[in-house]
């Protein structure tokens, strides 16, 4: 696993947290929730890609 992935996930988390606070204080709770869900989806897609690479590596190691 690359350290760059950890930094990208942390950066997205910080950005989503700031946007969530700004939108919540502005009274736009629906948009704050949608921003949080969008950030979660982006991070999940990044992690799923890495899990796919892990499965391919395990498959190639055991010749499956």
């Amino acid at each position: 696993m690359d350290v760059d992935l950890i930094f990208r996930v942390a950066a997205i988390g910080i950005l989503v947290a700031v946007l969530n606070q700004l939108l919540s204080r502005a009274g736009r709770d629906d948009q704050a929730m949608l921003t949080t869900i969008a950030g979660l989806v982006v991070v999940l897609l990044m992690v799923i890609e890495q899990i796919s690479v892990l499965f391919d590596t395990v498959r190639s190691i055991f010749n499956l």
Side-chain angles (χ1 to χ4, degrees):
M1 182 169 69
D2 197 16
V3 178
D4 186 46
L5 177 67
I6 296 170
F7 288 138
R8 283 189 281 158
V9 169
I12 291 172
I14 292 170
L15 181 66
V16 167
V18 168
L19 285 174
N20 190 3
Q21 287 296 319
L22 288 174
L23 289 170
S24 292
R25 296 196 188 249
R28 298 178 182 253
D29 292 328
D30 294 338
Q31 290 178 352
M33 183 177 62
L34 287 176
T35 303
T36 304
I37 292 172
L40 179 66
V41 168
V42 169
V43 169
L44 284 176
L45 288 175
M46 291 168 40
V47 171
I48 287 173
E49 180 182 333
Q50 293 300 316
I51 291 173
S52 172
V53 171
L54 172 67
F55 284 153
D56 290 338
T57 305
V58 169
R59 193 175 307 144
S60 68
I61 288 173
F62 293 112
N63 293 326
L64 297 177

